Amino acid sequence: MLKYIIKRILLLIPVLIGVSFIVFTIMSFTPGDPATAILGNGATKEDIQKLNEELGYYDPFLERYCDYVINAVQGDFGNSYRSGEPVFDEIFSRFPTTIKLAISAIVLAVVIGIPIGMLSAIKQYSIFDVVSTVISMFMTSVPQFWLALMGILIFSVQLHILPSTGLETWQSYIMPVFTLCLPCAANIIRLTRSSMLETIRQDYVRTARAKGLPERVVIWKHAFRNALLPVITVIGINFGYQLGGAVLIESIFGIPGVGMLTVNSIRQKDIPQTTASILFLAFIYVVIMLVVDVLYAYVDPRLKSKIIKSRVKVVGSNKKA
């Protein structure tokens, strides 16, 4: 198991290199230059050209990217064009806000999604099942930005009961958290329902019922744990998506997190800050997926034994060779 985790950690290297190359390329070849974004359209051409030269913007693309990678390997991801400070200083100062939003949204989505999905599977074709399925399909199809704008229009503009921007009070978290939560909860409801329906039709569940076990024991001890594997996957994926999706939500609600920092950096063509922010979010996402894989082994010991057996076979074949 340890070797498997180390291998997955080593796979982070090509993933992060690929992400950095894509982001660096897009930011370098999009129209505009960082000096104009920093100084504004009222600056003279001489000032713009001088600042671009100081930033190394006129150097060849491959030379700039190779210098960036070499410095990044040494722990230097550059300074922000906008503030002149190291890029990760601002990321680390804003990340607690983003992670707080993401954790709140995913916890609320799990609390809502798993019980409703289980109840829908147990009471298949009931009114509760039909209503929850229709609502979950609707929430899955609706874009998050539309939910955010409708929330601001209804609860801030018309009813005046919730603030539309900032995080000054606990009420400020309600709309951003629910905007992130509802599509995720809808996905969890649908997957939990389908996974439970497949599981409760298995022979071992019928055998447990035939033995006279209480329905509560059959559902929670025999069916739920085996139905949980795909649900863990979608929770991990959605948690990573919450961190990325927070880019849009933070911009709409004016929340000073990593998402809003990334958007502002893109607008100002702040290449070091944009690349570092997206690299950081990509790293967090890959780590989350690694944690999900490890949780697989603890939820279903059969997967852990398969991983160990596969490693034993590889070692045995190497010894024979």
Side-chain angles (χ1 to χ4, degrees):
M1 191 66 183
L2 180 60
K3 292 181 179 179
Y4 173 75
I5 295 174
I6 293 174
K7 181 180 178 181
R8 288 295 303 271
I9 292 175
L10 291 176
L11 287 175
L12 282 171
I13 298 174
V15 170
L16 295 179
I17 291 176
V19 170
S20 66
F21 181 77
I22 293 172
V23 175
F24 203 92
T25 302
I26 294 174
M27 291 297 296
S28 297
F29 290 101
T30 51
D33 59 86
T36 302
I38 295 171
L39 300 176
N41 295 325
T44 62
K45 292 184 178 179
E46 291 77 11
D47 291 338
I48 292 175
Q49 184 175 2
K50 180 180 179 181
L51 182 56
N52 280 329
E53 290 177 353
E54 292 176 358
L55 297 174
Y57 184 71
Y58 295 132
D59 295 339
F61 166 73
L62 289 179
E63 180 181 340
R64 287 189 289 126
Y65 177 70
C66 290
D67 290 340
Y68 178 82
V69 172
I70 293 172
N71 292 330
V73 171
Q74 298 173 358
D76 180 13
F77 288 84
N79 296 331
S80 171
Y81 290 164
R82 175 179 50 84
S83 64
E85 300 294 328
V87 290
F88 273 99
D89 287 355
E90 198 157 7
I91 291 175
F92 290 147
S93 66
R94 292 176 179 240
F95 183 64
T97 301
T98 299
I99 197 67
K100 191 184 300 181
L101 283 176
I103 291 177
S104 301
I106 198 67
V107 169
L108 187 60
V110 170
V111 171
I112 294 173
I114 290 181
I116 293 177
M118 289 183 61
L119 196 57
S120 296
I122 295 170
K123 298 184 177 182
Q124 188 181 15
Y125 303 131
S126 64
I127 296 298
F128 179 84
D129 180 32
V130 173
V131 172
S132 63
T133 301
V134 171
I135 293 176
S136 63
M137 291 179 65
F138 173 76
M139 296 307 302
T140 304
S141 306
V142 172
Q144 280 187 332
F145 74 86
W146 186 85
L147 285 176
L149 295 176
M150 289 301 101
I152 293 174
L153 178 63
I154 295 172
F155 297 105
S156 297
V157 177
Q158 296 182 352
L159 300 179
H160 304 287
I161 59 177
L162 292 175
S164 60
T165 59
L167 292 176
E168 287 77 15
T169 61
W170 66 267
Q171 292 93 337
S172 304
Y173 284 90
I174 295 177
M175 281 199 293
V177 169
F178 271 92
T179 303
L180 287 170
C181 160
L182 292 177
C184 177
N187 286 327
I188 294 175
I189 290 171
R190 295 175 61 194
L191 188 61
T192 303
R193 179 183 181 274
S194 61
S195 182
M196 280 294 296
L197 285 174
E198 182 180 354
T199 302
I200 60 179
R201 296 189 180 114
Q202 298 297 321
D203 291 337
Y204 63 87
V205 176
R206 296 193 191 100
T207 302
R209 284 174 174 156
K211 289 179 178 180
L213 294 176
E215 187 67 15
R216 176 177 56 84
V217 176
V218 172
I219 294 298
W220 286 101
K221 185 176 181 180
H222 295 277
F224 176 67
R225 182 169 182 175
N226 291 287
L228 194 61
L229 285 176
V231 179
I232 290 176
T233 302
V234 78
I235 290 173
I237 292 174
N238 276 276
F239 182 57
Y241 176 74
Q242 303 292 6
L243 297 173
V247 172
L248 178 63
I249 301 305
E250 288 177 3
S251 300
I252 294 175
F253 289 104
I255 298 172
V258 178
M260 193 171 182
L261 173 65
T262 305
V263 172
N264 291 335
S265 300
I266 293 173
R267 289 173 179 170
Q268 297 175 350
K269 202 162 184 180
D270 192 340
I271 297 177
Q273 187 69 71
T274 303
T275 306
S277 299
I278 297 178
L279 270 176
F280 181 74
L281 293 176
F283 173 78
I284 296 296
Y285 183 83
V286 176
V287 170
I288 290 171
M289 297 313 299
L290 173 61
V291 173
V292 169
D293 288 345
V294 174
L295 284 177
Y296 266 15
Y298 288 97
V299 174
D300 189 349
R302 295 173 298 177
L303 296 177
K304 185 175 182 179
S305 63
K306 287 181 181 179
I307 294 174
I308 294 174
K309 287 180 180 179
S310 64
R311 302 302 172 204
V312 171
K313 288 181 180 179
V314 171
V315 173
S317 62
N318 290 337
K319 287 183 178 180
K320 291 180 181 179

